[in-house]
Amino acid sequence: MSNPRYLIIGGGGHAAALAEILIKQKKTIIGVVAPEITTGLKIFDSVPQYLSDDDVLKFSVDQVLLVNGIGAMPRQTLRKKIYTRFSGLGYTFATIIADSAEISDYSSIGSGAQVMNNCVVNIGTVIAENTIINTSASVDHDCNIGAHCHLAPGSTLSGQVIIEGNTHIATGVNVINNITIGENTIIGVGANITKSIPSNSIVYGARSVIKNLGETDDN
Ligand code: JB2
């Protein structure tokens, strides 16, 4: 698509952070789709607002690139639903990489994935679709990050780490090398992960206690 036009879905903090990255890259934002603009900032003041997700259908698939501005917090499914619905209809979600991110030429960043300010993605790493690598997260060499994950700000993965799909790595988590973290898992804030974690787990606290997701509330 020459001279792509960007339609942002969501009007909160994550959408605003993405909008600023696009504006700095001199991209054209043609609208924001949200029942309510909740950011509190003026960044969307001059952008047309569309209130319903069905309004996306007013644009043909070759007219726009979608931007998934819905954040991904534990147990929230809206971001994945938006991605699945509109990619199923043939829309393309923009892959967004902040100018301040350091991305290896030998890495791969999937459709709709978002690499925010000051991140590092090192050589040989693969990041799948719709995943957020959030501010100042660092993903070292030969990692494989599944779809619909969120690596929250300041999280750090050493080399050859596998994160399976739908997994949330909270702020400030550290993961040593050669670890696999299963799908649909939540690693709580500040945990230090030194052994592999099964799917559907929640890991929390200074001692990184592991429980099945059904056993406890989020931490
Ligand atoms: O069904 C919807 C819908 N429901 C809520 N469709 C669309 N298109 N938009 C929807 N929204 C909008 O999503 C709300 O009106 C609001 O503008 C936005 C959610 O904003 P909020 O600030 O609550 O969360 P966020 O998704 O921008 O950010 C979360 O995730 C980030 C990764 C936050 O928790 C941040 O702290 C976090 N950094």
Side-chain angles (χ1 to χ4, degrees), residues 60-110:
S60 67
V61 296
D62 51 5
Q63 248 185 331
V64 286
L65 287 177
L66 300 186
V67 175
N68 199 346
I70 307 288
M73 299 306 287
R75 299 186 199 266
Q76 290 180 1
T77 55
L78 183 59
R79 178 180 171 85
K80 184 176 177 181
K81 279 184 188 153
I82 295 275
Y83 182 86
T84 304
R85 175 183 178 190
F86 290 110
S87 53
L89 291 170
Y91 288 90
T92 301
F93 280 83
T95 301
I96 296 183
I97 300 173
D99 290 341
S100 59
E102 183 64 41
I103 308 292
S104 167
D105 292 341
Y106 298 87
S107 65
S108 153
I109 316 282

Side-chain angles (χ1 to χ4, degrees), residues 132-144:
I132 305 171
I133 311 296
N134 220 332
T135 310
S136 296
S138 179
V139 186
D140 216 308
H141 66 90
D142 300 302
C143 291
N144 199 314

Side-chain angles (χ1 to χ4, degrees), residues 9-15 33-36 38 53 69-73 78 134 150:
I9 301 178
H14 189 59
V33 182
E36 196 183 355
T38 51
D53 290 340
I70 307 288
M73 299 306 287
L78 183 59
N134 220 332
H150 181 192

Side-chain angles (χ1 to χ4, degrees), residues 20-200:
E20 186 172 40
I21 288 169
L22 291 172
I23 289 165
K24 285 185 174 174
Q25 294 176 347
K26 304 200 182 326
K27 309 282 203 232
T28 306
I29 299 172
I30 58 160
V32 56
V33 182
E36 196 183 355
I37 305 292
T38 51
T39 161
L41 300 170
K42 294 180 181 302
I43 194 156
F44 292 125
D45 278 6
S46 59
V47 176
Q49 182 185 359
Y50 300 90
L51 296 175
S52 163
D53 290 340
D54 291 342
D55 290 326
V56 172
L57 307 175
K58 292 174 177 166
F59 300 89
S60 67
V61 296
D62 51 5
Q63 248 185 331
V64 286
L65 287 177
L66 300 186
V67 175
N68 199 346
I70 307 288
M73 299 306 287
R75 299 186 199 266
Q76 290 180 1
T77 55
L78 183 59
R79 178 180 171 85
K80 184 176 177 181
K81 279 184 188 153
I82 295 275
Y83 182 86
T84 304
R85 175 183 178 190
F86 290 110
S87 53
L89 291 170
Y91 288 90
T92 301
F93 280 83
T95 301
I96 296 183
I97 300 173
D99 290 341
S100 59
E102 183 64 41
I103 308 292
S104 167
D105 292 341
Y106 298 87
S107 65
S108 153
I109 316 282
S111 166
Q114 298 159 347
V115 184
M116 308 300 280
N117 286 307
N118 291 320
C119 291
V120 176
V121 175
N122 212 340
I123 191 163
T125 281
V126 176
I127 293 170
E129 60 186 347
N130 198 38
T131 275
I132 305 171
I133 311 296
N134 220 332
T135 310
S136 296
S138 179
V139 186
D140 216 308
H141 66 90
D142 300 302
C143 291
N144 199 314
I145 316 297
H148 316 293
C149 291
H150 181 192
L151 273 54
S155 52
T156 304
L157 309 187
S158 296
Q160 294 147 305
V161 168
I162 297 170
I163 309 280
E164 294 178 356
N166 294 312
T167 280
H168 180 88
I169 308 290
T171 303
V173 167
N174 297 305
V175 184
I176 67 164
N177 62 329
N178 288 308
I179 292 288
T180 295
I181 298 178
E183 64 179 355
N184 193 33
T185 283
I186 300 167
I187 309 293
V189 63
N192 293 315
I193 304 301
T194 56
K195 56 186 176 188
S196 290
I197 308 291
S199 298
N200 303 304

